[in-house]
Amino acid sequence: MFKNVQPGEYAVSVLHDANENQRMDFEANGMSIENYAMSNNPMLMGPPKFDDVKFTVGTDDIESILRF
């Protein structure tokens, strides 16, 4: 969980480095072998641009409505 996040624009990218080699691994055809995720779930070929995955954090306290 993130705490004390200041208002602004952010992007999140996560990689499950299953074989712990510190990089994303690919098939010969360029498809990722390991799981990954990005904010906004863009359908892209290649790395995203910030504008494709950004989201805005405002000033509203939403902790009370988010239950994970």
Side-chain angles (χ1 to χ4, degrees):
M1 178 187 302
F2 297 103
K3 296 184 180 223
N4 300 319
V5 176
Q6 297 298 309
E9 291 183 329
Y10 295 87
V12 176
S13 178
V14 180
L15 168 67
H16 176 211
D17 186 11
N19 60 4
E20 299 180 359
N21 67 349
Q22 304 295 309
R23 64 179 190 171
M24 181 181 256
D25 296 311
F26 298 92
E27 297 280 356
N29 66 2
M31 297 297 292
S32 173
I33 295 171
E34 298 172 302
N35 294 322
Y36 65 95
M38 292 172 264
S39 46
N40 292 334
N41 196 29
M43 302 304 269
L44 304 169
M45 295 298 287
K49 294 182 175 143
F50 181 78
D51 284 343
D52 295 329
V53 294
K54 73 180 179 182
F55 59 94
T56 301
V57 173
T59 58
D60 295 337
D61 180 10
I62 62 170
E63 184 175 348
S64 62
I65 62 172
L66 294 178
R67 300 284 182 224
F68 295 101

